[in-house]
Amino acid sequence: MSSMSSAHRSRKKKKGPSHLLANSDSSAILIDAKTNTLLPAFPLASFLWPARKSFSQWSLLPLILMIVGLFRWTVGLWGYSGFQSPPMHGDFEAQRHWMEIALHLPISQWYFYDLQYWGLDYPPLTAYHSWLLGKIGSVFNPTWFTLDSSRGIEDQNLKVFMRGTVIISEYLIYVPAAIIFNRRLNRLRGVSTWEGNIALVAILMQPATILIDHGHFQYNSVMLGLVIASMSSMLADRLLWGCVFFVGALCFKQMALYYAPAVFAYLVGMCLLPRVDFLRFLSISVVTLAGFVTAFAPLLLGSLYESFRGLPTSQFKAPPTLAALPIQLDPDSYHYRILLQLSQSIHRIFPFSRGIFEDKVANVWCAFHTIHKLNVYPTGMLQRLSLCATLISILPGCMTISVFPRRELLPWAMASSAWGFFLCSFQVHEKSALLPLLPMTMLLGGEAGLGLETRAWIGWANTLGVWTLFPLLKRDGLSLPYFVLTILWSYLLGLPPTSFTPYTPGSAGLSAPTKLLHLSFYVAMGTWHCLEGSVATPAGKPDLWVVINVLIGFVGFGICWLWCTWQLILRSGILEDYFGVRIRLEEAAKEDGKLVSKKKIQ
């Protein structure tokens, strides 16, 4: 019996600072040189300090979700886009109106109905999502979605319902995807569970996403959640599931195209390296095509059903792409109805006729427009110019990830691609800054993600991103939530404007140029807020402060693109391989030179 008991005796857990040092990797923990005691490196680590050893993770996760959910609901108590702003109101009314359309009209009319008043201009999954929410909302109050007569309704109960749908949608898609991705990245990069929880809180407390979805009002978190699910699947080497989720993101919001070049390049690299895998390529192609067919099938089948019922298509105006076909099609034929729906939905999803940018956005074209007006040039020429600039900006990241298709590099490649799209592509909204910020913020859960350098860069990019959104948020009456969430997030990560400790001359972890660069932007953003809030714009220049915001944001976002692209290239190892080969060739040349000189002497 004694031998059996000794054989099954449980191992003793190590105690003391040495155990913590072995698992902390020093990213979120500092060591006091005098007392040799462990200290949290920043306030968020302090809040979760008791959970680093014995606290159950299954108890901690619900607490995290409740706390971050409380902040979301609190932001929802404030104003929203278009409140008391007739006749078009804003994004809140647009989302409600799409529920109204999807609920009362045949599916074949969704992309044609009253396009002058918030016509549907998102892919089919958004329309299906609106239909489902409209069905649920009609159970509570059908008058919220009465066709036409409910336009501009501002009932407080409707606001509560709509705010609730954003939170539920986010907690069903975005939050689970973020948790799973963070856990997988933690395991892949050897990050402890405690540090993973710190990163998760920082990710879920990202101010820009909360303010846009739960303040301004949109459902970006659904699309972003599907993108995270795609990244998570690829992180687990489940490429087909990654394709399914990414197609879902594309079919919910077309802005997911910002990531598409990097995802495509990664998948191509996985199919070609280390050897050509034709079966994998074929599987990815079939699953991707099947995903798009499944997403558009209800729309097309609904059109065929209308044809079966004998309803005419004469009431629908053919979009330019269909009208430009050199052949005549029978308007009552089945194939014409399918082409009509496809071409109209694509025409609405990609509105090239609107112009190269909308409102004031911190990208190349809006910044250049302040110096030289671009609206004097033909739209076609601007489209081609934008296409060329976008291809050039995404090329370095896509080439790198295709040659080195390693899963831990995918977030860096997606961030580089998204920044390139945001800066150079056609028809960019200021809210599109959420897309490049997402993969950057998810990197907090990676190796040294909570270390000072990565945390400082990601924190600076997020602060800059939400700062460029301030003019939009101010119009929605969200100034106070903006300041509270932004300052709180910076405080939790131990960054400016609440803590300048990482940027003091004697602090290690950041180079002097990085400190100078970040501090100059922090000072510029703070100065801008002081001037914008206290100094009136000169006569004839009502948008002066917004234009300055755009110019500063454009320069900062360009630096973000450079940093993400450089980090991707650096972490890929291509520079080490290149310079290693150069060194070997130079050494070989020197040896050859010595041999030649010896022969001459002899």
Side-chain angles (χ1 to χ4, degrees):
M1 292 295 292
S2 61
S3 61
M4 291 182 63
S5 62
S6 61
H8 291 84
R9 187 177 298 156
S10 60
R11 296 180 180 178
K12 292 183 178 180
K13 294 183 179 180
K14 295 180 180 180
K15 298 181 180 180
S18 60
H19 168 61
L20 292 174
L21 279 171
N23 290 279
S24 66
D25 200 28
S26 301
S27 290
I29 294 179
L30 299 176
I31 301 178
D32 191 323
K34 296 180 179 180
T35 62
N36 200 32
T37 57
L38 304 178
L39 301 172
F42 45 91
L44 184 54
S46 300
F47 284 117
L48 294 177
W49 190 255
R52 73 189 189 280
K53 289 192 293 184
S54 59
F55 203 88
S56 172
Q57 302 306 316
W58 291 108
S59 301
L60 183 61
L61 184 58
L63 290 175
I64 292 174
L65 298 184
M66 284 189 288
I67 292 171
V68 299
L70 180 63
F71 279 99
R72 282 159 167 76
W73 188 256
T74 304
V75 171
L77 298 176
W78 290 77
Y80 54 80
S81 172
F83 178 64
Q84 295 182 347
S85 302
M88 294 300 292
H89 302 278
D91 282 342
F92 182 93
E93 169 62 12
Q95 301 289 343
R96 188 213 59 81
H97 180 61
W98 294 344
M99 298 178 194
E100 166 194 335
I101 291 175
L103 199 59
H104 292 286
L105 295 177
I107 193 171
S108 61
Q109 299 182 27
W110 287 0
Y111 283 99
F112 290 92
Y113 186 76
D114 197 0
L115 301 181
Q116 300 304 314
Y117 185 81
W118 294 119
L120 182 61
D121 56 2
Y122 279 156
L125 285 188
T126 290
Y128 308 150
H129 180 253
S130 299
W131 174 83
L132 177 62
L133 297 182
K135 281 286 187 183
I136 297 172
S138 295
V139 175
F140 296 101
N141 192 339
T143 61
W144 291 341
F145 309 106
T146 306
L147 189 63
D148 294 337
S149 63
S150 62
R151 293 185 178 184
I153 185 173
E154 294 181 340
D155 183 82
Q156 285 300 310
N157 292 328
L158 172 63
K159 177 184 176 181
V160 172
F161 169 77
M162 296 288 280
R163 293 296 196 192
T165 60
V166 177
I167 290 183
I168 292 173
S169 298
E170 183 173 11
Y171 269 66
L172 288 176
I173 299 176
Y174 180 87
V175 172
I179 293 171
I180 295 171
F181 176 86
N182 187 58
R183 291 283 189 264
R184 284 178 175 167
L185 186 61
N186 295 162
R187 290 196 295 267
L188 178 66
R189 308 307 294 168
V191 177
S192 68
T193 303
W194 176 67
E195 289 192 30
N197 286 326
I198 296 174
L200 180 63
V201 175
I203 291 167
L204 295 181
M205 284 295 294
Q206 184 197 32
T209 303
I210 296 176
L211 289 166
I212 292 299
D213 274 20
H214 301 275
H216 175 82
F217 195 89
Q218 282 192 335
Y219 294 96
N220 293 298
S221 57
V222 177
M223 178 268 293
L224 296 176
L226 292 170
V227 170
I228 297 173
S230 176
M231 287 197 300
S232 179
S233 298
M234 294 182 187
L235 212 60
D237 283 334
R238 297 171 181 169
L239 300 183
L240 298 184
W241 276 110
C243 293
V244 170
F245 288 123
F246 192 72
V247 169
L250 286 170
C251 290
F252 191 88
K253 280 199 173 185
Q254 61 270 37
M255 290 188 300
L257 278 171
Y258 284 31
Y259 306 119
V263 173
F264 175 78
Y266 174 75
L267 293 175
V268 167
M270 292 294 290
C271 293
L272 297 180
L273 299 172
R275 60 182 181 276
V276 177
D277 192 335
F278 180 75
L279 182 60
R280 173 179 283 178
F281 173 78
L282 183 62
S283 301
I284 290 173
S285 302
V286 170
V287 168
T288 302
L289 181 61
F292 282 111
V293 170
T294 302
F296 280 86
L299 183 68
L300 302 180
L301 292 176
S303 301
L304 293 178
Y305 177 69
E306 297 297 328
S307 177
F308 175 76
R309 292 176 58 194
L311 297 179
T313 59
S314 57
Q315 58 179 320
F316 302 141
K317 181 182 177 181
T321 51
L322 185 60
L325 289 178
I327 57 174
Q328 291 291 330
L329 299 174
D330 181 8
D332 295 325
S333 62
Y334 292 111
H335 56 272
Y336 178 81
R337 290 180 178 270
I338 292 177
L339 289 175
L340 180 65
Q341 284 294 335
L342 278 176
S343 58
Q344 176 67 7
S345 60
I346 293 173
H347 176 68
R348 293 294 301 164
I349 292 168
F350 300 104
F352 291 111
S353 59
R354 291 185 185 175
I356 197 166
F357 61 86
E358 189 165 326
D359 210 350
K360 302 293 190 299
V361 56
N363 72 347
V364 171
W365 311 118
C366 189
F368 189 76
H369 185 74
T370 62
I371 303 170
H372 180 75
K373 302 306 177 186
L374 297 176
N375 50 13
V376 299
Y377 297 102
T379 302
M381 189 190 79
L382 293 177
Q383 290 174 1
R384 292 189 293 271
L385 182 63
S386 171
L387 176 62
C388 293
T390 304
L391 290 176
I392 293 172
S393 67
I394 66 176
L395 192 60
C398 291
M399 289 182 63
T400 303
I401 195 65
S402 63
V403 176
F404 299 93
R406 300 204 303 270
R407 51 188 176 174
E408 67 272 15
L409 297 179
L410 185 58
W412 294 101
M414 293 175 72
S416 174
S417 174
W419 279 123
F421 260 86
F422 180 86
L423 288 168
C424 302
S425 66
F426 197 86
Q427 253 296 304
V428 174
H429 296 257
E430 64 269 54
K431 300 181 290 293
S432 301
L434 297 179
L435 280 88
L437 290 177
L438 173 73
M440 283 189 73
T441 308
M442 298 304 296
L443 288 167
L444 288 172
E447 182 182 9
L450 296 175
L452 182 56
E453 182 182 8
T454 304
R455 176 163 47 92
W457 274 99
I458 294 174
W460 173 75
N462 273 278
T463 303
L464 180 67
V466 73
W467 176 75
T468 61
L469 295 172
F470 179 76
L472 172 70
L473 299 171
K474 184 180 179 180
R475 290 199 301 268
D476 298 336
L478 295 168
S479 297
L480 184 58
Y482 158 81
F483 283 112
V484 171
L485 280 180
T486 304
I487 293 174
L488 174 63
W489 199 75
S490 301
Y491 165 74
L492 291 175
L493 292 181
L495 298 172
T498 59
S499 174
F500 287 88
T501 303
Y503 294 93
T504 53
S507 63
L510 291 175
S511 63
T514 299
K515 292 179 181 179
L516 180 62
L517 175 69
H518 288 188
L519 284 175
S520 63
F521 273 89
Y522 282 121
V523 170
M525 288 186 280
T527 304
W528 182 89
H529 271 304
C530 294
L531 294 175
E532 188 272 340
S534 59
V535 180
T537 56
K541 298 184 181 296
D543 297 329
L544 176 63
W545 300 126
V546 180
V547 170
I548 294 175
N549 182 291
V550 165
L551 294 175
I552 296 174
F554 158 65
V555 175
F557 289 159
I559 294 171
C560 289
W561 172 77
L562 286 172
W563 183 73
C564 290
T565 306
W566 171 250
Q567 288 294 318
L568 171 64
I569 295 172
L570 193 65
R571 293 165 187 267
S572 69
I574 187 173
L575 296 179
E576 295 177 7
D577 294 342
Y578 173 75
F579 287 111
V581 171
R582 284 285 304 273
I583 291 172
R584 288 195 294 271
L585 289 175
E586 290 174 0
E587 291 177 350
K590 290 179 181 179
E591 291 295 329
D592 292 340
K594 290 178 180 179
L595 291 175
V596 170
S597 61
K598 286 182 179 179
K599 288 180 180 180
K600 287 182 178 180
I601 293 173
Q602 292 175 355

